[in-house]
Amino acid sequence: MNRRQFLTAATAIGGIGSTAGCLDRLAPGSGGPDPEPVDLSGGKFDDDHGMEIGPHGGANGQIYYAEHTPPDREEGPFWFHTLVFSLFPFHFDRLDRGWEADVIYVTDFSAVDWTIEDRDAGPTMPSPTAPETFADATALTYVVESDVRGGMGPGLHPFSEADEAAAFVDDHGGRPIGFDDIDRALVQGLREGE
């Protein structure tokens, strides 16, 4: 059941501010403010696995690295259709190579009016792609090990409001964790269905 019945005025105003911020976005590694999240709709494909962003459900993500950009997007972030199967494995691999992230954005389910989708594979979170649906990944609470899927299987469901994450756990099981709790072992365990 959806616990968010409407967007608050603050979220709506924040979305307008986020859109305006795109106009003066600085390039990654410039030393200025963090670049803003971008719109992931319109047939964009995951930079790790090449899957289309949106149709698979679950949280999406974007990463701006200080000195690295995708070959086809000089100022754009790397983007991902799933956190468990793409964003975090990709990021851990890049950390091993010495890459430094300027900012990581993931879907913030506290910022959208969401409804769990009934799919053949089971209940699945939606996959918002608008810029205002993303937030700084390091500031969110994630629900892990719930009975609701993300993209491609087990999900990490991010919320900026800790009470909403707790309510999600009450309704769908799992447990809340912080960004610093997400490590290779956790992600690998989710990928293997543990």
Side-chain angles (χ1 to χ4, degrees):
M1 179 176 164
N2 179 0
R3 291 202 173 262
R4 303 270 309 168
Q5 299 301 320
F6 58 90
L7 293 174
T8 64
T11 300
I13 292 168
I16 293 167
S18 294
T19 303
C22 291
L23 300 175
D24 61 357
R25 182 178 62 186
L26 297 177
S30 67
D34 288 333
E36 297 287 333
V38 299
D39 186 349
L40 295 187
S41 66
K44 292 180 176 67
F45 291 86
D46 187 295
D47 283 317
D48 189 40
H49 288 107
M51 302 290 285
E52 185 175 357
I53 297 172
H56 303 283
N60 302 306
Q62 310 177 30
I63 306 177
Y64 285 95
Y65 288 100
E67 298 178 5
H68 302 278
T69 58
D72 59 342
R73 296 185 302 278
E74 290 184 17
E75 294 184 13
F78 290 85
W79 49 51
F80 308 92
H81 82 293
T82 169
L83 305 185
V84 172
F85 290 87
S86 290
L87 183 140
F88 281 106
F90 181 93
H91 183 56
F92 294 147
D93 182 57
R94 292 332 180 259
L95 290 175
D96 288 345
R97 299 179 191 188
W99 292 25
E100 181 181 335
D102 278 337
V103 63
I104 301 172
Y105 292 114
V106 297
T107 302
D108 174 10
F109 286 113
S110 292
V112 296
D113 186 13
W114 54 268
T115 301
I116 293 172
E117 302 170 2
D118 288 322
R119 297 187 175 198
D120 290 342
T124 304
M125 288 298 277
S127 187
T129 55
E132 63 271 14
T133 65
F134 291 91
D136 181 341
T138 64
L140 303 180
T141 299
Y142 297 77
V143 175
V144 64
E145 300 165 354
S146 76
D147 60 9
V148 180
R149 295 169 50 91
M152 306 294 292
L156 286 164
H157 309 301
F159 295 86
S160 57
E161 300 293 332
D163 61 333
E164 292 180 18
F168 189 91
V169 169
D170 288 345
D171 289 344
H172 303 288
R175 60 189 172 94
I177 62 172
F179 180 83
D180 291 338
D181 299 316
I182 302 171
D183 59 16
R184 296 169 204 267
L186 176 81
V187 170
Q188 189 59 38
L190 290 170
R191 290 172 63 123
E192 294 171 359
E194 294 179 358

